[in-house]
Amino acid sequence: MMSKQAFLCSLGSLYLSLLFVFLLMDVYARPANNSALKEKAPDSKDENEILPPDHLNGVKMEMDGHLNKEFHQEVFLGKEMEEFEEDSEPRRNRKKLMAIFSKVDINKDKKISAKEMQRWIMEKTEEHFQEAVEENKMHFRAVDPDGDGHVSWDEYKIKFLASKGFNEKEVAEKIKNNEELKIDEETQEVLDNLKDRWYQADNPPADLLLNEGEFLSFLHPEHSRGMLKFMVKEIIRDLDQDGDKKLTLSEFISLPVGTVENQQAQDIDDDWVRDRKKEFEEVIDSNHDGIVTMEELEEYMDPMNEYNALNEAKQMIAVADENQNHHLELDEILKYSEYFTGSKLMDYARNVHEEF
């Protein structure tokens, strides 16, 4: 029979052996570096600071052509959106929603009209615009190391590659000496696309130098009519299968090439297809001819289009307008709280009279 001391020694040896195996597995599981300039991987926050985001608050479609699933909440809540968390206390969220209802109801008749909702949507969209402007100031300082108020393409390229895990000093030195950078194919493709966007954001005279305003257009194309056009061209390029620079319904309900790995999962996603089809036919295709042009898509994408805001207001009201009076009343908006805020309120009917 094994002694206690022998058992402990055996257990210790087993532990060391397992630890060694796990360390070996970790080493071989790590991807090989594509470049000697690579160092530790960046955290996502640093990378997102200088990359144009795919998701733009208050814009109906993502840059990759997907519909913005949070759009209704973004244009109804504005910067208060983060306060309505899924795990928030329903009673507290109910009070916040009631306070919002009171603010939207300008004439205090205890119901919200399409015009009142339109005004509110424009106000909340402007909040997202101002938030982007403030964030841009911070991001611009991060990529303007010499503080001269302009960022060159090379300055941005250095910061971008640093955010992707390359050694910033070595990259800067190679660019300064016009030496070749060993960059993997995927990163180079992203860089090429970013440079196209950089050119578009560079207002005359074209010098590849962006000031703070131009850099805002680079990161947030919704702030510039010219960049909005460019974003629309990119979306149509990704979705347009026959190269006619227009979109049919069949093209619009197909995901951009390469964005999904499981084609079967896409095919059976009936809800996704239904939402896309409804948006195409009822909203984007304004003349209902079965074709979406660049002009139609641009109007749809423009977050500061007042007609779009009014149309959106009417749609939002229709979702919850149970008594069909073309207005939103408090009990309706509380009942459909998940649509407006992303937060589902329990026992809304029982509590509304207690608190209002």
Side-chain angles (χ1 to χ4, degrees):
M1 185 173 182
M2 184 182 294
S3 68
K4 181 178 180 181
Q5 184 176 4
F7 173 76
L8 291 174
C9 288
S10 175
L11 190 63
S13 299
L14 177 61
Y15 172 78
L16 289 174
S17 298
L18 288 172
L19 179 62
F20 179 71
V21 170
F22 285 136
L23 287 172
L24 279 177
M25 289 173 64
D26 180 60
V27 167
Y28 286 108
R30 294 173 192 164
N33 269 337
N34 290 312
S35 168
L37 300 175
K38 278 279 187 90
E39 49 185 22
K40 64 174 182 151
D43 60 45
S44 58
K45 182 179 178 183
D46 290 340
E47 183 176 337
N48 287 337
E49 285 181 354
I50 60 172
L51 270 175
D54 174 57
H55 177 81
L56 301 170
N57 286 337
V59 178
K60 299 190 76 171
M61 190 180 287
E62 312 284 12
M63 285 192 184
D64 60 6
H66 288 83
L67 296 178
N68 177 4
K69 293 181 179 179
E70 298 180 340
F71 175 75
H72 300 121
Q73 289 130 43
E74 290 168 355
V75 296
F76 183 74
L77 298 176
K79 61 184 179 183
E80 296 173 322
M81 187 174 173
E82 293 180 3
E83 296 181 18
F84 285 82
E85 299 175 357
E86 289 184 9
D87 57 352
S88 291
E89 205 278 316
R91 189 181 184 90
R92 186 166 58 248
N93 277 353
R94 192 162 47 245
K95 287 183 176 179
K96 288 185 288 191
L97 187 51
M98 291 166 71
I100 290 174
F101 181 91
S102 181
K103 292 176 184 176
V104 183
D105 180 22
I106 292 293
N107 63 8
K108 304 304 176 187
D109 63 354
K110 299 190 185 302
K111 56 187 178 182
I112 295 173
S113 68
K115 280 291 185 182
E116 286 173 323
M117 183 66 85
Q118 178 197 31
R119 179 201 64 83
W120 182 256
I121 288 173
M122 295 295 291
E123 185 178 313
K124 296 295 107 178
T125 303
E126 181 61 31
E127 280 185 9
H128 289 304
F129 266 52
Q130 291 306 314
E131 187 178 25
V133 169
E134 292 304 313
E135 288 179 354
N136 184 68
K137 290 179 181 178
M138 176 182 68
H139 300 161
F140 186 76
R141 287 195 295 268
V143 296
D144 182 25
D146 54 16
D148 65 353
H150 291 84
V151 178
S152 69
W153 168 248
D154 283 345
E155 284 177 326
Y156 177 80
K157 183 177 179 180
I158 291 167
K159 291 294 184 181
F160 167 77
L161 290 175
S163 79
K164 300 294 286 183
F166 290 79
N167 184 291
E168 184 171 345
K169 290 184 179 179
E170 290 185 32
V171 169
E173 189 67 24
K174 284 185 174 292
I175 288 178
K176 180 181 177 181
N177 297 328
N178 202 27
E179 297 178 21
E180 181 184 357
L181 291 171
K182 293 182 180 179
I183 301 174
D184 57 274
E185 186 176 343
E186 182 180 350
T187 303
Q188 185 59 55
E189 184 178 352
V190 174
L191 263 179
D192 291 341
N193 290 334
L194 288 174
K195 192 168 186 179
D196 288 341
R197 188 183 298 271
W198 192 273
Y199 272 108
Q200 292 295 323
D202 184 19
N203 292 328
D207 52 10
L208 283 185
L209 295 174
L210 300 191
N211 58 32
E212 189 173 311
E214 291 168 332
F215 193 71
L216 174 64
S217 297
F218 172 71
L219 291 183
H220 288 273
E222 76 275 19
H223 285 249
S224 159
R225 174 59 69 175
M227 286 301 290
L228 195 62
K229 288 178 181 289
F230 182 72
M231 181 168 67
V232 165
K233 287 180 181 178
E234 287 187 316
I235 290 173
I236 287 186
R237 179 196 65 196
D238 289 339
L239 296 175
D240 179 22
Q241 297 173 7
D242 59 12
D244 65 353
K245 299 182 180 179
K246 299 175 184 177
L247 297 180
T248 62
L249 176 59
S250 62
E251 289 173 330
F252 189 70
I253 62 176
S254 299
L255 283 171
V257 177
T259 59
V260 289
E261 296 179 0
N262 191 335
Q263 185 67 34
Q264 184 180 4
Q266 176 190 327
D267 293 339
I268 64 176
D269 192 350
D270 294 336
D271 290 340
W272 186 90
V273 171
R274 187 176 63 250
D275 289 344
R276 301 273 295 189
K277 186 174 186 291
K278 182 178 179 181
E279 199 74 8
F280 182 96
E281 294 177 339
E282 298 181 12
V283 184
I284 310 178
D285 181 16
S286 57
N287 63 0
H288 306 294
D289 65 352
I291 299 291
V292 165
T293 64
M294 284 191 178
E295 291 74 21
E296 285 175 320
L297 187 56
E298 186 182 333
E299 289 303 307
Y300 170 81
M301 294 288 288
D302 184 2
M304 296 307 288
N305 183 314
E306 292 188 7
Y307 173 79
N308 282 354
L310 180 59
N311 189 39
E312 190 61 38
K314 291 176 180 177
Q315 288 188 62
M316 292 174 76
I317 289 173
V319 167
D321 184 20
E322 289 195 337
N323 62 11
Q324 298 293 301
N325 67 350
H326 305 293
H327 287 72
L328 274 184
E329 293 163 15
L330 182 58
D331 61 339
E332 292 172 331
I333 207 169
L334 288 172
K335 184 174 182 179
Y336 290 85
S337 64
E338 193 168 10
Y339 173 79
F340 293 100
T341 70
S343 174
K344 192 170 185 177
L345 307 181
M346 300 300 182
D347 299 325
Y348 79 96
R350 180 170 59 83
N351 290 283
V352 62
H353 297 296
E354 296 175 6
E355 299 174 1
F356 192 61

